[in-house]
Amino acid sequence: MSVPSVEVWTDPERQDLEERVAAAELAWLTLDVDVATLRVEIDNFALAHHQLLGPLYAELDELDALIAESVAALSGDPEDLRRAREARERVEPPQERGPREGEPEARRVRPDRDAQRVYRELARRAHPDLTTDPAEQERRSAFIARVNEAYALADTEGLERLAEEWSSSPDSAPAADSPDRLGWLRQRLEWLTGRITALAVERVRLERTPMGELLLLRPEEPERLLEDLAEQLLATAADRQARLAALLPDNGGNEPSHAPQETPPMFAQLPTADAASVPADAALLDVREQDEWDAGHVDGALHIPIGQVVARLDELPEGRLYVLCRVGGRSAQVVQYLVAGGRDAVNVDGGMFAWEAAGRPMVSGGGQEPFVL
């Protein structure tokens, strides 16, 4: 009985190339998945940023314009008038402010491990650059476009169907015992090196975009990052409201002043109540996120996450409004903003933790035992 030849595996150059190509292919596929995933997450973060914080930025632009116009009206200085015109030009028309009626809620899409595995395998087998034939490149490009779309939607089942569809396609690599194998390995290594470099450049480019830099501040908790940004914007808006109130004639007189004006909105103490003293029939606003609300909330409270408060001001009931969050920080920012706008709002000190500790009733979103998340 003849013994199979092992000559092809004893060539040092061939063996080295096989190992280097295998290592480079693993690095390429890993980086390809990482970059595709980062692109998906940045796109989704940008959508959420626009929907949740867009109205807050628009509100700040409007307040800046009103302040500039008030300063110009008081001083009559041509430079102040120019600044007022420029500030007004920066204000977006209301119809351009998001979120819009009927616009779907932003949701975070993160492809799972199965989706990444199938995506990696399809990229390895079906990438257009694996062939030099123009017609085959076009066919592969169209197929990979469908793969990228499914991956962007985290559609694992769709990716599995695409993998089955491609399963009958021929492999372009020469067989292990083919005399063309050595030349193919050299070309493959050169191609992989180029792809890895291109992907590394693309990753750096994505990370340096404005949304990429923001997302990387807290990549595992983008929703919490948006929440923190909303708190900062609400605080800034409250300061702008106070400054505007100080400039208006009925708050600061008709004569311009070079000194800061001490008006009630600027120095009024934040209205606060402890959880035990909140009336049973009080109007409550809960500004926590959806997962916190689902875990446990006050039955009958109005739920508007902090990042949506400004855009949904018309939903707030008339009269005194008690504002809740988890421990009282976010609700304090909302109360500060509402009070500066002339609303009767009270911060519930200690938030839902204090509410629970006081033995006040709570319900959950799914019927389970309620708790404060």
Side-chain angles (χ1 to χ4, degrees), residues 11 13-14 17 178-187:
D11 181 349
E13 181 186 8
R14 164 73 181 277
L17 277 173
S178 169
D180 298 329
R181 180 75 177 182
L182 191 60
W184 178 85
L185 285 170
R186 295 191 184 102
Q187 293 177 354

Side-chain angles (χ1 to χ4, degrees), residues 148-224:
N148 289 337
E149 181 180 2
Y151 187 74
L153 297 172
D155 184 3
T156 304
E157 292 183 2
L159 287 169
E160 295 281 6
R161 289 193 296 269
L162 288 167
E164 292 177 6
E165 178 182 329
W166 193 261
S167 61
S168 60
S169 298
D171 194 339
S172 61
D177 58 353
S178 169
D180 298 329
R181 180 75 177 182
L182 191 60
W184 178 85
L185 285 170
R186 295 191 184 102
Q187 293 177 354
R188 177 72 169 167
L189 184 59
E190 182 180 358
W191 179 83
L192 286 168
T193 302
R195 287 298 300 162
I196 290 170
T197 300
L199 284 169
V201 171
E202 175 64 4
R203 180 171 185 167
V204 171
R205 186 194 69 79
L206 289 170
E207 290 176 346
R208 290 183 176 177
T209 60
M211 287 296 111
E213 290 181 344
L214 264 182
L215 179 61
L216 290 176
L217 292 175
R218 202 176 299 178
E220 299 304 320
E221 294 183 310
E223 295 87 357
R224 300 301 185 206

Side-chain angles (χ1 to χ4, degrees), residues 18-332:
E18 291 282 2
E19 293 172 354
R20 291 173 64 189
V21 166
E25 186 169 88
L26 178 61
W28 163 53
L29 294 173
T30 301
L31 187 56
D32 195 31
V33 170
D34 288 347
V35 170
T37 303
L38 178 61
R39 188 180 295 112
V40 170
E41 293 195 333
I42 287 176
D43 288 346
N44 281 278
F45 183 75
L47 175 61
H49 186 277
H50 169 72
Q51 289 184 329
L52 298 178
L53 302 187
L56 286 170
Y57 284 114
E59 180 75 9
L60 287 175
D61 286 342
E62 175 67 25
L63 288 169
D64 285 339
L66 290 172
I67 290 171
E69 288 165 349
S70 298
V71 169
L74 289 169
S75 71
D77 185 273
E79 187 63 19
D80 289 339
L81 292 170
R82 181 189 63 79
R83 292 194 187 98
R85 286 194 300 271
E86 291 178 351
R88 177 55 59 187
E89 289 170 358
R90 287 193 293 270
V91 177
E92 291 183 0
Q95 64 270 22
E96 294 182 11
R97 299 178 187 176
R100 298 172 176 82
E101 184 71 24
E103 187 175 39
E105 286 294 321
R107 64 185 184 93
R108 188 182 185 202
V109 178
R110 185 186 183 99
D112 60 21
R113 291 185 179 276
D114 286 337
Q116 294 183 21
R117 172 184 55 79
V118 180
Y119 178 84
R120 183 184 297 113
E121 180 63 19
L122 285 170
R124 184 185 70 81
R125 295 165 55 196
H127 200 284
D129 290 346
L130 292 173
T131 179
T132 57
D133 179 72
E136 179 65 9
Q137 283 184 335
E138 184 176 353
R139 183 179 79 90
R140 286 171 176 257
S141 294
F143 181 80
I144 287 295
R146 295 165 59 198
V147 171
N148 289 337
E149 181 180 2
Y151 187 74
L153 297 172
D155 184 3
T156 304
E157 292 183 2
L159 287 169
E160 295 281 6
R161 289 193 296 269
L162 288 167
E164 292 177 6
E165 178 182 329
W166 193 261
S167 61
S168 60
S169 298
D171 194 339
S172 61
D177 58 353
S178 169
D180 298 329
R181 180 75 177 182
L182 191 60
W184 178 85
L185 285 170
R186 295 191 184 102
Q187 293 177 354
R188 177 72 169 167
L189 184 59
E190 182 180 358
W191 179 83
L192 286 168
T193 302
R195 287 298 300 162
I196 290 170
T197 300
L199 284 169
V201 171
E202 175 64 4
R203 180 171 185 167
V204 171
R205 186 194 69 79
L206 289 170
E207 290 176 346
R208 290 183 176 177
T209 60
M211 287 296 111
E213 290 181 344
L214 264 182
L215 179 61
L216 290 176
L217 292 175
R218 202 176 299 178
E220 299 304 320
E221 294 183 310
E223 295 87 357
R224 300 301 185 206
L225 174 60
L226 290 174
E227 178 184 302
D228 291 344
L229 291 172
E231 288 188 16
Q232 295 171 19
L233 290 175
L234 282 168
T236 302
D239 289 341
R240 297 283 201 283
Q241 287 274 14
R243 184 181 176 194
L244 179 62
L247 288 167
L248 295 177
D250 58 344
N251 281 309
N254 293 319
E255 294 300 322
S257 172
H258 297 290
Q261 300 185 47
E262 298 186 0
T263 63
M266 292 176 70
F267 294 99
Q269 185 177 3
L270 191 69
T272 303
D274 62 87
S277 68
V278 176
D281 59 349
L284 296 171
L285 170 64
D286 191 323
V287 297
R288 297 175 300 156
E289 298 303 311
Q290 188 65 48
D291 56 345
E292 297 173 289
W293 167 269
D294 291 339
H297 59 267
V298 182
D299 191 21
L302 174 63
H303 178 223
I304 303 180
I306 187 172
Q308 302 176 28
V309 170
V310 173
R312 298 169 61 182
L313 285 175
D314 57 346
E315 298 179 31
L316 302 184
E318 297 295 329
R320 174 160 293 184
L321 185 63
Y322 290 83
V323 186
L324 281 158
C325 67
R326 189 163 74 119
V327 294
R330 282 171 282 172
S331 55

Side-chain angles (χ1 to χ4, degrees), residues 339-359:
V339 169
R343 301 295 297 263
D344 185 4
V346 179
N347 186 42
V348 179
D349 191 29
M352 285 301 297
F353 275 127
W355 186 276
E356 183 181 44

